[in-house]
Amino acid sequence: MLEESASLPLLRREKWLQKRIMAGGGFVAAAGLPDGDYGGRITLAVVITCIVAASGGLIFGYDIGISGGVTTMVPFLQKFFPSILKKAGDAKTNMYCVYDSQLLTSFTSSLYIAGLIASVVAGRVTATSGRKFTMVLGGCTFFLGALINGASVNIAMLIIGRLLLGFGVGFTNQATPVYLSEVAPPKWRGAFNTGFQFFIGIGVVIANCINYATSKKPWGWRLSLGLAAVPAVVMTVGALFIPDTPNSLVSRGKVEEAKQSLVKARGEANVDAELSELIKASEMAKSVGEEPFMSIFKRRYRPQLVIGILIPFFQQVTGINVIAFYAPVLFTSVGFGSDSALIAAIILGLVNLGSNLVSIFLVDRFGRRVLFLQGGVQMFICQVAVAGILAATIGMSGTGQMSKGSAILVLVLMCLYAAGFGWSWGPLTWLVPSEIYPLKIRAAGLSISIAVNFGTTFVVSQTFLAMLCKFRFTAFLFYSAWIAIMTIFVALFVPETKGIPLDSMHRVWKQHKYWNKFVNNEPL
């Protein structure tokens, strides 16, 4: 098959490839031909494998959902942050500033400093020990952190537990997206990879429901934090029974195991053509002899590096995670009661989860760019509208009163905002970086992308409550401005990657009107 491919006229192949790339269509990794898409059908084995791998999102989603709800529980605040209860009881308190506490935000954001460090280490672990091992390691670390948090008797234990959770999330968030992209058939890679975000959404909803059920119990916060061990066990045990990716096995010299993994994933015995391409890509990467973390900064990888950094950065400056972390706090601050705020957070989580399902069905039909652009416009409108409502009701002073109707309208706008994020920047931030890097720098590239994501999340989550206190409703205008910038960036600089095999992704950059000047005269 490879010999036949090589005999085709070069001009004919290049013209065909250009048409397919501009149309967003798929083609074969080895020969660049429209037929023989290396077992693109969906098999039961690959579905089960990808579901188990994507369940790594459960631990991240559970933590996102649980932390915001716990910080509104009176028993938790009485034990660790009594000053916030005192401030909330003051009738003259600015509503925007009730939860403005750097110590409280450190409880939430400390996880992301640990995640940032772990994601850098995880790149090397993933490359040397495999994707599967990294997920298991992350699950075990997260499990230990959950136990410490649930048993905490002081703030030091809380922070130590959060740091361990961060290390766990850092490892799993680095390994899982690349695992999904490498195992899934190219035609359906977007849907399978979006499963990671879907499980994040499931984790958020489960956590919000648990928070609501335990909020009135004096030990409720312990149960909420300690139950994070359950999704860690689910993911870790599941990961023990799935094979590593063919790409990872080949790069580590385990060719026979890689072939068996391919046979299971593709559902057919004849996988020699695809396996030979994986071997060739691995040999090329090793022949270069460059350190991946040094190679990635070379000019020929500029497109991947820029997009791999900016997309996770932009995802966080949409403000989505501060809304997810602090949804109960936020809703309480704008006029919801404590119980109502937790219910509103559950509704917000369900909307986000439903929108993840929408993305699964649309991402491989309409492509990445359409969802990026549509979601960006929708989020921008909602953020500006929320700022307008807060300005008209609570006002700049923060002492105004919000009517029930206005509070409900804020919730509706937040749900529309969450929906726009859930089918665009939520799943695509994990998908696009996992598919744009060539094999030789994939682990290093994903490490950088995840590190940027965690670093930005830390800064945003650590500063949001202070920003809300100081800038009031204009904090939402700050995030809406970033949404406008990132939507323009996608329109100009992010190419369509739908349906393109991972080892043929370099063709995308060669055909892009801006990025081609970085790669056209460079070796692949």
Side-chain angles (χ1 to χ4, degrees), residues 25 62 123 138 194 239 273-274 284 294-295 311 347 374 385 461 463 469 503 511:
Y62 187 90
T194 301
E274 184 173 4
M284 288 178 61
M294 298 299 294
S295 297
I311 284 184
I347 294 172
Q374 189 281 330
S461 61
T463 58
C469 178
D503 53 353
Q511 299 297 329

Side-chain angles (χ1 to χ4, degrees), residues 153-166:
V153 295
N154 52 46
I155 292 178
M157 285 187 70
L158 279 179
I159 300 300
I160 291 172
R162 294 291 293 174
L163 291 174
L164 288 172
L165 294 177

Side-chain angles (χ1 to χ4, degrees), residues 398-414:
T399 57
Q401 295 295 317
M402 179 177 286
S403 67
K404 182 178 180 180
S406 296
I408 292 174
L409 183 56
V410 168
L411 175 59
V412 170
L413 287 169
M414 288 291 191

Side-chain angles (χ1 to χ4, degrees), residues 36 53 57 59 73 107 260 502:
I59 64 175
M73 294 183 184
F107 164 72
Q260 294 173 5
L502 296 181

Side-chain angles (χ1 to χ4, degrees), residues 185-269:
K187 184 178 179 181
W188 303 106
R189 186 173 61 244
F192 279 97
N193 199 289
T194 301
F196 180 68
Q197 181 68 30
F198 179 69
F199 274 94
I200 291 178
I202 291 176
V204 170
V205 171
I206 291 174
N208 286 332
C209 291
I210 290 174
N211 278 338
Y212 180 74
T214 63
S215 61
K216 300 301 183 183
K217 308 294 183 181
W219 41 263
W221 64 270
R222 290 191 183 277
L223 184 61
S224 291
L225 294 176
L227 282 177
V230 175
V233 170
V234 170
M235 187 216 73
T236 305
V237 172
L240 291 172
F241 293 96
I242 61 175
D244 213 334
T245 69
N247 308 64
S248 176
L249 291 167
V250 166
S251 67
R252 290 182 288 135
K254 301 180 179 182
V255 177
E256 189 58 37
E257 290 182 39
K259 182 175 182 179
Q260 294 173 5
S261 180
L262 268 179
V263 169
K264 291 180 181 179
R266 303 300 181 241
E268 56 184 52

Side-chain angles (χ1 to χ4, degrees), residues 13 17 51 89 103 123 146 169 183 234 247 254 280 321 334 386 399 419 429 441 450 454 466 483 505 508 511 517 524:
R13 293 183 67 208
L17 286 167
I51 287 176
L103 190 58
V169 169
V183 169
V234 170
N247 308 64
K254 301 180 179 182
K280 182 187 298 184
N321 268 352
V334 300
V386 167
T399 57
T429 297
I441 60 168
I450 301 301
F454 279 128
I483 293 172
M505 199 64 68
V508 170
Q511 299 297 329
K517 61 186 178 183
L524 297 179

